[in-house]
Amino acid sequence: PMALCACLRGYSAQAPGVYGGQEAPERVTLQLHSAELDRSFAKVGVMDPYVVVYVGGEMVHRTRAAKWAHKRPSWGATCTVRNKELPSSITASVWNQNLARKDVLCGSVTVPITEDMGNLQEKEFVLTKRSRPTGTIRLSLAIAGESAQQQPKCLRSSRSTLGAEMDHIASWFEDSQASNGETLGMVRARSLLLAEGENAIAEELGDGKADESVLAPSQSMESAGEAVYDVDGSKLTSENEGAAKDEAAKGVVEEVQVEVEDDLATPLEGHWTCTSTFGLDEFLTKNGLGSFPRRLALAARWPNWDFKVEKGRIAFVNHSAMGDLHEQILLDGSKYTWKDGRSNILSCKAKWMKSADGGCLTIWRSHEQVGTYHEDRRICGNTLTFTLFSQDGTSWGRAFERAS
């Protein structure tokens, strides 16, 4: 097909993985399991998707097309990457084979590679096309020669002071893997959305037409009938709510006198777009994460935030790299509990302090094993600065701009 010919543009005179006439050593083994696409990229009929793998801008592998698979292709293919040195990243691009016209790009993901990544088993990544999510792909990655049981260096205790979506990214490493050939169902909230890197290389083979498949973030924000909430915004079930409250009550939260707000936290209202991140790599290093989970966290797509402000309550949605994370923030002085990305039930208390140019929302969170930390969301005009402060004095944060 035309796409394969186009892929060969930019190749060096000798084949990838061959240097000075000798084959380079094996560096990475990539298994391409399956994908689930959100829509059809074929104008007529069903799709025959395949995957092209790129390293350093060059195609190193192409799977066979999954005939008649349409939006749920499976390949079960393995690609061994040979290179002089360990590549810094690998890009997997899903295409729809079209024998009559150009093959059409369905979406891509670029995964960072480090020596300490070990064996990453059947992890789901979000596919994107022109910065828009288009589906998910399930991959396995391993450094050549590493034990199949070796896992990435990552926090594995109940300690969880990373905050925001970072706890969810950390727990993403620790999810149980599929076993005995069992295929786990794809769930967007457990798929990692990475920022586009080398995906732009694959875009050159696209159809040149605008992609209208925008996945609109969920805008549903349920009313806070109870004060115990899961990350998806739902109330914890009555079966585990009592246990959750008992566990949260063991934590020690700094006592903060909060009165019912006469002035609403209206400066928070609306949609906010992340423009920068600061202090994250140093923060993750001090919390014990190895180079691979740190690179993956730094490569994660920056979030957008939505706030809906009502009397005594803020409905907050973090449109993160791990999906939509919800929280009902109470401002009436009462404590509430919230489950983080590691399923720790945290005892929380929030306070809004207005200022001439905006204000500051502070949330204190506590768990007997996690410890205590707090988050500031400081508004100055159309700029929001988020900072998380752990009990050991380390911090990280993000800057946001208000969407017009």
Side-chain angles (χ1 to χ4, degrees):
M2 295 180 184
L4 179 57
C5 297
C7 285
L8 297 177
R9 293 179 300 173
Y11 260 53
S12 57
Q14 57 187 11
V18 177
Y19 299 91
Q22 294 185 352
E23 193 171 41
E26 296 181 0
R27 295 298 184 184
V28 181
T29 300
L30 169 65
Q31 291 178 282
L32 304 158
H33 301 291
S34 58
E36 183 170 326
L37 301 174
D38 294 329
R39 71 169 180 90
S40 175
F41 290 84
K43 292 184 178 180
V44 179
V46 299
M47 295 189 292
D48 301 327
Y50 63 92
V51 182
V52 177
V53 179
Y54 297 90
V55 173
E58 293 187 339
M59 185 184 76
V60 297
H61 184 79
R62 171 176 168 164
T63 69
R64 292 183 178 181
K67 294 293 185 181
W68 303 95
H70 201 43
K71 295 189 291 184
R72 301 177 72 95
S74 295
W75 301 283
T78 299
C79 166
T80 300
V81 177
R82 294 178 177 273
N83 205 37
K84 266 178 130 179
E85 300 177 349
L86 187 70
S88 61
S89 63
I90 291 180
T91 297
S93 298
V94 178
W95 295 79
N96 177 39
Q97 186 178 70
N98 191 332
L99 299 179
R101 303 182 182 87
K102 283 185 177 181
D103 291 3
V104 178
L105 176 66
C106 304
S108 301
V109 62
T110 296
V111 182
I113 304 295
T114 66
E115 292 182 352
D116 71 342
M117 66 180 292
N119 190 348
L120 199 65
Q121 285 290 325
E122 295 199 40
K123 291 298 185 181
E124 290 179 20
F125 294 88
V126 176
L127 295 167
T128 61
K129 180 177 180 179
R130 300 185 181 96
S131 299
R132 297 171 178 176
T134 59
T136 56
I137 186 170
R138 187 183 291 277
L139 306 173
S140 293
L141 279 163
I143 300 298
E146 291 285 340
S147 167
Q149 300 301 317
Q150 184 174 347
Q151 294 299 316
K153 183 181 179 184
C154 180
L155 293 177
R156 293 189 172 279
S157 67
S158 61
R159 180 174 174 80
S160 175
T161 58
L162 306 182
E165 67 273 14
M166 291 301 128
D167 287 323
H168 295 263
I169 293 176
S171 69
W172 180 83
F173 290 98
E174 302 167 9
D175 286 347
S176 59
Q177 309 301 324
S179 60
N180 300 323
E182 178 185 2
T183 301
L184 301 178
M186 291 198 173
V187 181
R188 173 58 48 83
R190 300 309 301 166
S191 303
L192 181 60
L193 175 60
L194 300 179
E196 290 184 353
E198 295 179 12
N199 297 359
I201 298 170
E203 286 281 1
E204 296 178 0
L205 308 181
D207 54 9
K209 297 180 180 178
D211 181 2
E212 298 177 355
S213 60
V214 183
L215 296 181
S218 173
Q219 299 296 328
S220 61
M221 303 179 187
E222 299 179 2
S223 299
E226 298 288 339
V228 183
Y229 300 96
D230 207 340
V231 293
D232 62 357
S234 61
K235 291 178 287 189
L236 294 179
T237 63
S238 57
E239 181 178 349
N240 59 23
E241 181 177 340
K245 288 183 176 180
D246 290 342
E247 182 179 355
K250 297 177 183 177
V252 179
V253 178
E254 178 182 352
E255 290 298 328
V256 182
Q257 298 300 321
V258 183
E259 298 180 356
V260 176
E261 300 297 323
D262 293 327
D263 298 292
L264 295 178
T266 50
L268 277 171
E269 181 84 40
H271 184 75
W272 298 82
T273 301
C274 183
T275 57
S276 66
T277 298
F278 54 90
L280 181 58
D281 188 50
E282 296 84 351
F283 184 88
L284 297 178
T285 299
K286 290 181 180 179
N287 276 272
L289 273 72
S291 62
F292 179 68
R294 294 203 315 273
R295 280 198 63 192
L296 212 52
L298 292 169
R301 181 74 65 84
W302 287 349
N304 296 322
W305 286 358
D306 280 317
F307 294 93
K308 183 179 180 182
V309 180
E310 298 177 354
K311 187 75 171 180
R313 183 176 70 248
I314 300 172
F316 170 52
V317 184
N318 178 352
H319 304 292
S320 78
M322 295 301 300
D324 286 357
L325 312 177
H326 298 244
E327 181 177 6
Q328 300 283 348
I329 302 169
L330 305 182
L331 298 177
D332 62 359
S334 61
K335 293 180 181 179
Y336 65 97
T337 54
W338 178 76
K339 186 169 74 172
D340 70 6
R342 290 175 167 277
S343 296
N344 295 313
I345 306 299
L346 306 182
S347 179
C348 306
K349 203 165 192 177
K351 181 179 182 180
W352 168 256
M353 292 289 291
K354 67 176 182 178
S355 65
D357 51 4
C360 181
L361 173 67
T362 301
I363 303 177
W364 291 265
R365 306 189 191 276
S366 180
H367 185 279
E368 65 173 354
Q369 293 175 312
V370 170
T372 300
Y373 67 97
H374 72 276
E375 305 165 355
D376 282 351
R377 291 168 174 83
R378 193 172 300 276
I379 305 291
C380 182
N382 290 321
T383 300
L384 184 157
T385 303
F386 163 81
T387 309
L388 182 142
F389 301 91
S390 68
Q391 61 185 4
D392 62 4
T394 57
S395 65
W396 74 278
R398 300 189 191 274
F400 294 79
E401 292 293 330
R402 189 190 305 274
S404 58

